[in-house]
Amino acid sequence: MASLRLGDEAPNFTADSSVGTINLYDYLGDSWGILFSHPADFTPVCTTELGTAAQFKDEFDKRNVKMIALSVDGAESHKEWIKDINEVQNTTVTFPIIADEDKKVSTLYDMIHPNADSSLTVRSVFIIGPDKKVKLTLTYPASTGRNFYELLRVIDSLQLTANHKVATPANWKNGEKVVVSPAIATSDAIKIFPKGVEEIKPYLRMTPDPTA
Ligand code: BEZ
């Protein structure tokens, strides 16, 4: 399976999970989605990641993003592990964890990188738009837990730039100034962005966040 690229359709699947059989497209409906893989159950970094994801549920909900995790262990194992996660992270995991024992989904999404580990998934992230297209991919090694503040930040950027002719600069955070899309002439930008356009260079124009 070739790697999924930005703009590709996120492959649909039906799989067993910690909450029973789940179909990705039915689960997502019209929402955004974040699908993230974990190397294995009952592992320390994954435990902190899933607990953090559960603690951030309100933030994902605010952005209309449904979470779905995956590891190649079975559903009964996931359910036992969730008890530990809830206990040690003082939270309640409610989103599904796919039980990908036959590696069907991890193969579909190219989550096993054999030169890193022959059988366990790496830490992949796929952000899926309401149009079911892949909007962002990230790949971390098993040894590095992901930054969930960064995942929320990138969702803010994806949702803003989906609706406005802007891009977000380095280290941008929600509410800060944004870059006017290079495709727009400054003379047009002034009309499109009534809050003002600052021309630093002809190709570098900033404007306040149009939604703030
Ligand atoms: C962990 O989640 O802690 C982990 C899993 C596989 C390899 C290394 C760390």
Side-chain angles (χ1 to χ4, degrees):
M1 171 77 203
S3 296
L4 283 171
R5 294 179 174 172
L6 303 189
D8 289 355
E9 188 166 294
N12 195 17
F13 57 80
T14 299
D16 194 16
S17 84
S18 54
V19 297
T21 303
I22 190 156
N23 175 271
L24 180 69
Y25 282 15
D26 291 345
Y27 172 68
L28 294 181
D30 295 330
S31 301
W32 288 69
I34 180 165
L35 168 64
F36 44 97
S37 59
H38 296 271
D41 292 5
F42 300 101
T43 49
V45 177
C46 298
T47 299
T48 65
E49 285 191 317
L50 284 168
T52 302
Q55 289 163 3
F56 279 36
K57 183 179 184 304
D58 286 353
E59 292 298 323
F60 285 98
D61 284 350
K62 262 193 236 165
R63 293 161 176 83
N64 192 27
V65 180
K66 289 195 174 166
M67 292 186 273
I68 181 163
L70 174 149
S71 99
V72 294
D73 294 311
E76 290 312 311
S77 165
H78 287 354
K79 286 184 213 166
E80 287 305 309
W81 183 32
I82 285 170
K83 290 181 196 163
D84 279 5
I85 298 166
N86 291 345
E87 178 197 328
V88 302
Q89 297 287 115
N90 192 25
T91 191
T92 307
V93 172
T94 54
F95 53 83
I97 306 177
I98 298 164
D100 196 34
E101 284 182 293
D102 61 3
K103 303 192 169 80
K104 186 179 83 179
V105 179
S106 34
T107 302
L108 203 54
Y109 278 78
D110 195 28
M111 290 165 164
I112 295 175
H113 296 196
N115 291 325
D117 190 293
S118 59
S119 59
L120 302 180
T121 47
V122 292
R123 298 186 196 281
S124 301
V125 180
F126 294 88
I127 296 181
I128 301 167
D131 58 0
K132 306 293 182 292
K133 298 278 167 51
V134 175
K135 304 298 181 187
L136 176 120
T137 65
L138 285 170
T139 308
Y140 283 60
S143 50
T144 304
R146 285 155 286 200
N147 183 327
F148 282 74
Y149 293 107
E150 168 61 6
L151 297 180
L152 292 173
R153 190 194 77 89
V154 83
I155 288 164
D156 286 339
S157 172
L158 290 169
Q159 294 185 338
L160 178 68
T161 59
N163 294 314
H164 298 274
K165 292 181 165 70
V166 297
T168 59
N171 292 341
W172 172 86
K173 291 199 291 300
N174 208 4
E176 293 179 353
K177 279 194 287 189
V178 295
V179 169
V180 174
S181 168
I184 301 174
T186 301
S187 54
D188 293 331
I190 291 162
K191 292 176 214 146
I192 296 170
F193 302 108
K195 290 180 183 171
V197 174
E198 178 192 0
E199 189 180 79
I200 298 162
K201 290 282 182 190
Y203 58 85
L204 174 58
R205 291 84 39 88
M206 306 297 293
T207 189
D209 179 339
T211 65

